[in-house]
Amino acid sequence: MAEGKERWEKETYGPFVGGSPERAVPYESLSGIPIQPLYTPEDLTGWRYEDKLGYPGEFPYTRGPYPSMYRGKLWTMRMFAGFGRPKDTNVRFKYLLEQGQTGLSTAFDMPALMGYDADHARARGEVGREGVSVSTLADFEELFRDIPLDRVTTSMTINCTASVALAMYLALADKQGVPWDKIGGTMQNDMLKEFIAQKEWISPPESAVRIVVDTIEFCSQHVPKFNPVSISGYHIREAGSTAVQELAFTLADGFGYVEACRKRGLDVDSFAPRLSFFFDIHNDFFEEIAKLRAARRIWATVMRERFGAKKAESMRLRTHTQTAGVSATAQQPLNNIARVAIQALAAVLGGAQSLHTNSFDEVLALPTEEAVTVALRTQQIIAEETGAPLTIDPLGGAYFLERLTNQMEEQAMAYIRKIDGMGGIIRAIDSGYPQQEIADAAYRYQLLDDRGEKIVVGVNKYVMVDEKPVECLKLDEAMERGQVESVKALKASRDSAKVEKRLKQLADACRGGQNVMPVLVDAVKDYVSLGEISDVYRQVFGLYREPIIF
Amino acid sequence: MAERKIRVVVAKPGLDGHDRGAKIVARALRDAGFEVIYTGLHQTPEQIVATAVQEDADAVGLSVLSGAHNYLFARVLELLREKGADDIAVFGGGIIPAEDIKGLKTMGVKELFTPGTSTQDIIRFVRENIRATV
């Protein structure tokens, strides 16, 4: 005789839906994991609490990296900001700090992210557009004017030129008289995901990773509170991957850095505690919570079992999160406020350490001050009004969530084993494997969208014809000219022999395999520019050419 | 006489790496039976125009999500004129505010597609507005 769930299905559920059919919608997660009508203890056969969950702050960290989680300290509310000239962003930074934000997060413009100064021909039209324009230390001085670096932590979203930005931040700390062991923050500095998804690069993967390892090694010795790399799934997801692919490729990138550092001869427990992560939080509420919990469990297990990590700090995964930019719609943009609120709650229930909430107007332009304020207030409402941070991992033990966490772990591990079989993540990138997987997933998603099989409120359902336009942030056209002129003037005022000497020292360090960071810190203090340093990288390491995959 | 296939160059001008849209459009146009050349990322307007001329393209689709659309579209149109190749139609898409769309169309951009557009709309546009030039 049938028992338990099977009995219920036969006696109660089956006859009921036979007479009153369920809604004809796809019963699957955003990643395509089938969703059953009900989850019970039978979905967790063989599942042991002690092995799979354990306790917060203890292996395998499923329930959270810290023992008291948000009872001890709320997540860091960190709004990504940057546009125009450094002084424009400095004003926005100060505004956000006054509004109760607890950490800074810097968006750089495309020229800075690709290794060109504002006065370079390739920078035309792009200066200060997608982030703040930075060419030399003078721009950093302006960007952080009146912001003491020992009072805030700063995250910098910058990758192939992250070594330069880190050098400038350290040089600025010296100028402010702040010792390096008192500054905290995070460089994104995750080149592997650049080749997979975000696509900002200078040199091929091997040399790009070598510079990343230089920064990891340097920070673990000299800047102990700084996270030199933020291993990022965000861009992988935004490029169109599923949640499972995001989880798998991000962790595979992480293991790639661990391998590279070990090859350098670094002890795993000397650098792994400073590795941090960054995940996207998309629309599928439970899948996103499960993703963060699965990420912690996989990282802890692999770090201990494969890499022999001994310190707890090397095994516990800490992560920044951001609500999904791709989920925002240009149609009825105020609806994005609701999407962001739900995604932000998922990040908190998933145990994130830091969160950026997108502004509702970001699908149209850079956010206005009003839109950023609503986004920040959304986090403050979750923190202060909902009660969500009062207990640790409040959804832990839910049959559905635990089953989903297991499924995501299993599917991500299958990808990770496949990548290992290819010889590791760099080989996989060379062969275009993760790029192709993401392109395929993005195309599938788009076709679902086009056929109306994926409902997007305000876009393919509940459409409104006459929409009120939204007031967008406008950037002054003269801004670019002003910035270009000031960079040119600064360059003309330098001692060019000194600049040449620094660039030669850098080229020697690049060729000789010495850590580039000490040379870079000296170079930026002499106002050697980001573009000039990137030119050395281009000359010594060569340019990366992407495989054309679509 | 059998008409030859319409050839479209899908290009990513400028420095940003947001290629999700460009790749989806390239694939959708290819699946719809057009001949598609995707340039890859970080192209200068000069490189894009050279590709369009060399490939004997009927249209160039530009994807811009960096806010530099006003500069980049204008420069591509200008270079096409300089090369005497302004019979190549220019269309595009990305994060482009409504008030900029008007100016870009006046400048000579045939059509602009913003977030939320179905690939079917883009295919229809190419089918109805782009002709294979002999």
Side-chain angles (χ1 to χ4, degrees):
Chain A
M1 219 182 84
E3 282 177 40
K5 190 168 159 187
E6 202 188 326
R7 182 203 57 75
W8 170 76
E9 281 170 349
K10 270 202 182 124
E11 293 177 7
T12 307
Y13 174 73
F16 183 82
V17 297
S20 161
E22 294 184 331
R23 289 179 302 117
V25 296
Y27 288 95
E28 56 177 44
S29 76
L30 213 44
S31 286
I33 297 174
I35 306 291
Q36 300 172 29
L38 184 76
Y39 292 82
T40 69
E42 291 162 59
D43 291 291
L44 299 175
T45 348
W47 179 94
R48 284 191 61 231
Y49 178 87
E50 299 287 336
D51 300 339
K52 292 289 185 184
L53 297 191
Y55 293 88
E58 292 180 6
F59 189 88
Y61 301 97
T62 315
R63 305 205 69 178
Y66 296 115
S68 67
M69 290 300 287
Y70 307 134
R71 292 170 66 100
K73 181 175 171 286
L74 286 169
W75 63 93
T76 305
M77 298 179 193
R78 203 186 277 289
M79 303 298 283
F80 191 38
F83 58 92
R85 303 186 63 177
K87 64 171 192 291
D88 302 321
T89 299
N90 180 260
V91 170
R92 179 67 68 88
F93 276 175
K94 286 177 185 159
Y95 172 80
L96 287 166
L97 291 170
E98 278 162 24
Q99 295 306 313
Q101 167 169 284
T102 47
L104 296 174
S105 174
T106 318
F108 294 95
D109 71 358
M110 289 314 309
L113 294 178
M114 286 291 291
Y116 297 105
D117 291 336
D119 61 344
H120 193 281
R122 291 232 51 182
R124 286 296 63 71
E126 311 224 28
V127 173
R129 286 272 154 205
E130 252 187 305
V132 61
S133 174
V134 165
S135 303
T136 70
L137 181 59
D139 296 318
F140 259 67
E141 291 162 7
E142 202 59 49
L143 182 59
F144 293 99
R145 185 168 298 283
D146 308 320
I147 300 173
L149 300 192
D150 53 350
R151 294 284 196 56
V152 291
T153 59
T154 304
S155 159
M156 285 177 260
T157 297
I158 190 162
N159 293 278
C160 61
T161 46
S163 54
V164 189
L166 176 61
M168 288 183 183
Y169 199 73
L170 296 173
L172 184 63
D174 283 349
K175 287 202 146 195
Q176 287 191 355
V178 175
W180 289 358
D181 61 359
K182 293 280 185 300
I183 61 170
T186 304
M187 306 302 296
Q188 190 163 88
N189 199 21
D190 170 10
M191 280 311 296
L192 290 171
K193 69 92 177 51
E194 292 299 324
F195 299 109
I196 296 175
Q198 185 164 247
K199 319 280 172 85
E200 290 149 16
W201 50 58
I202 294 176
S203 311
E206 298 275 359
S207 42
V209 168
R210 174 249 155 125
I211 300 289
V212 174
V213 174
D214 280 3
T215 61
I216 295 173
E217 182 182 41
F218 186 82
C219 282
S220 66
Q221 290 163 0
H222 304 287
V223 203
K225 291 203 308 195
F226 219 85
N227 303 312
V229 49
S230 170
I231 305 156
S232 305
Y234 188 82
H235 320 84
I236 292 173
R237 190 66 180 283
E238 294 283 302
S241 84
T242 65
V244 168
Q245 290 168 340
E246 176 195 0
L247 178 62
F249 297 153
T250 308
L251 294 172
D253 287 347
F255 302 140
Y257 293 119
V258 174
E259 287 282 8
C261 288
R262 289 214 311 181
K263 260 192 216 152
R264 175 74 59 99
L266 305 178
D267 172 56
V268 67
D269 286 314
S270 76
F271 65 86
R274 298 319 303 170
L275 298 177
S276 65
F277 286 80
F278 173 24
F279 286 101
D280 196 292
I281 304 294
H282 213 298
N283 280 335
D284 191 323
F285 189 71
F286 292 102
E287 184 167 75
E288 295 303 287
I289 298 168
K291 181 179 77 187
L292 295 185
R293 301 169 86 248
R296 286 193 293 266
R297 189 153 78 207
I298 296 173
W299 182 253
T301 308
V302 176
M303 287 305 285
R304 185 170 81 176
E305 279 155 27
R306 176 163 153 199
F307 295 110
K310 290 189 181 61
K311 276 192 188 167
E313 294 85 346
S314 303
M315 295 178 232
R316 70 173 181 211
L317 179 150
R318 300 163 301 132
T319 189
H320 175 59
T321 48
Q322 178 171 338
T323 59
V326 284
S327 72
T329 63
Q331 296 77 5
Q332 303 175 34
L334 288 173
N335 296 347
N336 296 327
I337 297 174
R339 291 190 180 96
V340 165
I342 294 162
Q343 294 166 5
L345 183 61
V348 170
L349 295 174
Q353 279 55 65
S354 163
L355 173 61
H356 166 99
T357 33
N358 289 333
S359 300
F360 70 85
D361 58 353
E362 278 180 84
V363 69
L364 304 166
L366 290 183
T368 60
E369 202 164 88
E370 185 189 27
V372 170
T373 309
V374 174
L376 176 59
R377 293 287 180 259
T378 304
Q379 296 198 38
Q380 290 162 335
I381 289 166
I382 293 172
E384 312 280 354
E385 297 183 6
T386 64
L390 297 182
T391 189
I392 302 162
D393 188 29
L395 297 182
Y399 307 122
F400 172 43
L401 185 69
E402 297 303 350
R403 175 69 193 274
L404 200 52
T405 305
N406 290 348
Q407 286 173 307
M408 298 194 77
E409 179 183 21
E410 286 155 17
Q411 294 186 12
M413 282 309 297
Y415 266 119
I416 289 168
R417 278 191 293 270
K418 185 159 183 183
I419 290 166
D420 286 341
M422 295 175 165
I425 190 68
I426 292 182
R427 293 287 86 78
I429 289 169
D430 285 341
S431 72
Y433 173 69
Q435 300 94 308
Q436 186 70 62
E437 285 288 299
I438 293 168
D440 290 349
Y443 194 56
R444 272 197 305 274
Y445 191 88
Q446 180 65 41
L447 294 183
L448 287 179
D449 221 349
D450 286 353
R451 291 197 294 260
E453 285 170 35
K454 179 72 59 198
I455 301 301
V456 186
V457 171
V459 177
N460 59 16
K461 200 171 181 181
Y462 316 113
V463 177
M464 280 157 62
V465 231
D466 275 325
E467 284 192 43
K468 261 211 324 248
V470 171
E471 201 58 45
C472 288
L473 184 81
K474 290 207 185 48
L475 295 173
D476 179 8
E477 297 283 343
M479 169 269 292
E480 175 166 317
R481 234 173 307 127
Q483 182 66 8
V484 170
E485 273 155 30
S486 72
V487 170
K488 280 187 173 156
L490 183 120
K491 283 184 176 173
S493 73
R494 297 174 308 181
D495 175 348
S496 59
K498 228 184 217 172
V499 171
E500 287 308 316
K501 193 184 99 191
R502 292 300 184 199
L503 290 172
K504 187 174 175 309
Q505 285 173 339
L506 176 63
D508 290 344
C510 287
R511 288 202 185 89
Q514 296 141 262
N515 195 309
V516 295
M517 285 311 300
V519 184
L520 283 180
V521 174
D522 288 339
V524 301
K525 283 182 177 172
D526 285 334
Y527 296 91
V528 175
S529 74
L530 177 140
E532 291 161 337
I533 291 167
S534 303
D535 281 339
V536 173
Y537 289 165
R538 288 185 189 98
Q539 284 151 19
V540 177
F541 300 125
L543 290 174
Y544 177 66
R545 296 200 71 83
E546 64 173 321
I548 298 291
I549 291 166
F550 69 93
Chain B
M1 193 183 83
E3 215 177 318
R4 75 163 171 82
K5 277 187 184 179
I6 292 172
R7 310 187 81 168
V8 183
V9 168
V10 174
K12 269 295 295 172
L15 299 175
D16 77 289
H18 299 105
D19 60 358
R20 179 178 182 165
K23 285 180 166 196
I24 285 174
V25 169
R27 188 151 163 180
L29 292 175
R30 184 179 67 192
D31 288 357
F34 304 114
E35 206 168 315
V36 177
I37 299 106
Y38 172 54
T39 61
L41 286 159
H42 313 139
Q43 300 286 301
T44 62
E46 287 78 5
Q47 289 171 316
I48 292 167
V49 169
T51 305
V53 170
Q54 193 186 323
E55 298 285 348
D56 197 13
D58 303 304
V60 180
L62 302 177
S63 167
V64 185
L65 291 88
S66 66
H69 45 268
N70 287 336
Y71 171 77
L72 292 166
F73 277 95
R75 186 77 186 123
V76 167
L77 287 166
E78 183 187 330
L79 287 166
L80 283 173
R81 267 196 304 276
E82 278 176 23
K83 299 255 181 245
D86 43 357
D87 55 326
I88 301 175
V90 175
F91 67 104
I95 306 278
I96 301 171
E99 66 257 37
D100 289 348
I101 289 180
K102 223 181 282 166
L104 289 168
K105 284 193 173 170
T106 316
M107 210 186 271
V109 179
K110 279 262 180 317
E111 192 55 87
L112 287 154
F113 299 98
T114 51
T117 304
S118 154
T119 56
Q120 290 307 316
D121 292 342
I122 301 172
I123 292 166
R124 196 175 313 119
F125 163 80
V126 172
R127 201 163 273 150
E128 289 172 5
N129 294 280
I130 310 297
R131 286 286 150 262
T133 49
V134 193

